[in-house]
Amino acid sequence: KKLSPGKTFTQRYALAVLYHATQGDKHWQRKDKWMSKAPECQWYGITCDPFGTIIEINLGFNELNGLLPRELALLNKLQEVDLHGNDLQGVLPYAIMTNWKDLKILRLHMNGFFGSLHSEIAHMTSLQELHIFGNYFGGSLPTELGNLKKLEKIDVYANAFEGTVPSELGNLPRLKELDVHDNFFTGKVSKEICDRKLPFLVSDCLDGKYKEIRCDCCTICCEGLPNMRCFDMKSKKEVIVGAEK
């Protein structure tokens, strides 16, 4: 069953707002068929299901410049969004988090987002991977992340989060990777998280003058500014952390 004309209009409208809000006409590197009469499923970076519903947006490293519009919340069947490596700024709209209930993978890393990560993220119950490293997000990491039982990867390094790493993350049965280094976290990584025995757990726990957090179970410990170095806790060798995994 194909989409109704109303649904098609809504999809094209949401994408058109994204295009203009991020200066597609001036900056985008690739914009094949965007804003043309061609079906939106044929536009560069857009993937649809067999019925014509948009399920993926992949516009990473495409020179998007501007604010992420709340109208993207109209695309409520999205399963994957990749907008990393652009020049997106501002806060994440609440509506996106409440409407993207089917989203499995969110890649917003290497942009200029700021503000807090809202507790509304609790609505994203299908989320498996959260990649927001290399932004300016601040405040505390929402405890509601601990309710997203399908989460496997959480990568929030190189932001401005503060407070403690929520112990609620220890409630995530599928969690395999957690990277919280290069933030302003303090305190100790909780027993609840350590009991998960994660194969990849990184924090600013390196012994030294600039140790910010205590962690008895981290696989990699880092030191923040000004030294910026990380060591594998098993091999005791210096490693590079932060390349896309």
Side-chain angles (χ1 to χ4, degrees):
K1 184 180 178 181
K2 291 188 175 181
L3 287 185
S4 67
K7 286 282 189 181
T8 298
F9 173 82
T10 298
Q11 290 193 155
R12 293 175 75 90
Y13 169 70
L15 293 179
V17 174
L18 172 65
Y19 182 81
H20 290 295
T22 58
Q23 304 184 58
D25 54 336
K26 296 179 182 178
H27 290 292
W28 285 23
Q29 202 167 39
R30 294 277 308 269
K31 47 190 169 187
D32 314 15
K33 296 188 179 181
W34 276 75
M35 309 311 296
S36 72
K37 292 181 180 179
E40 62 273 20
C41 298
Q42 297 178 12
W43 295 5
Y44 173 76
I46 302 301
T47 302
C48 295
D49 68 12
F51 306 106
T53 301
I54 295 174
I55 56 173
E56 289 184 18
I57 298 177
N58 187 343
L59 293 170
F61 278 114
N62 203 43
E63 299 185 21
L64 279 68
N65 187 317
L67 304 177
L68 202 61
R70 63 183 180 182
E71 285 80 2
L72 284 180
L74 296 169
L75 305 177
N76 59 3
K77 297 299 181 182
L78 281 168
Q79 296 178 19
E80 183 171 345
V81 172
D82 187 345
L83 298 173
H84 83 281
N86 287 294
D87 193 16
L88 296 169
Q89 308 108 32
V91 299
L92 291 184
Y94 286 91
I96 284 177
M97 294 191 176
T98 55
N99 280 30
W100 286 358
K101 294 181 175 66
D102 292 341
L103 197 73
K104 297 177 181 178
I105 299 174
L106 181 59
R107 297 182 182 274
L108 298 178
H109 48 287
M110 298 165 60
N111 277 288
F113 291 109
F114 56 81
S116 60
L117 191 61
H118 309 304
S119 59
E120 279 77 8
I121 199 169
H123 293 277
M124 302 175 76
T125 51
S126 299
L127 199 62
Q128 297 173 7
E129 297 184 19
L130 176 65
H131 303 272
I132 58 172
F133 70 80
N135 283 284
Y136 303 99
F137 288 112
S140 58
L141 203 58
T143 58
E144 287 80 5
L145 282 172
N147 297 328
L148 304 182
K149 301 302 183 185
K150 295 182 179 180
L151 265 177
E152 298 175 8
K153 298 181 181 181
I154 302 175
D155 200 343
V156 301
Y157 97 84
N159 278 283
F161 289 112
E162 56 190 20
T164 57
V165 179
S167 61
E168 286 81 0
L169 299 184
N171 298 333
L172 300 174
R174 300 185 184 180
L175 190 64
K176 297 181 180 69
E177 298 183 10
L178 175 60
D179 189 344
V180 298
H181 88 280
D182 198 10
N183 281 281
F184 300 107
F185 289 116
T186 55
K188 184 178 182 179
V189 173
S190 69
K191 180 179 183 297
E192 289 84 352
I193 294 175
C194 283
D195 285 347
R196 297 282 299 112
K197 295 182 170 58
L198 301 180
F200 188 86
L201 175 54
V202 190
S203 75
D204 289 325
C205 53
L206 191 66
D207 285 328
K209 184 177 180 181
Y210 300 101
K211 182 174 181 176
E212 297 177 13
I213 196 168
R214 288 176 293 144
C215 182
D216 299 328
C217 57
C218 285
T219 59
I220 296 175
C221 279
C222 301
E223 186 173 14
L225 291 169
N227 292 331
M228 298 293 289
R229 56 192 185 135
C230 299
F231 284 84
D232 183 290
M233 290 293 94
K234 192 172 184 179
S235 69
K236 305 301 181 184
K237 292 181 179 179
E238 189 167 359
V239 293
I240 296 174
V241 180
E244 287 190 57
K245 295 176 283 295

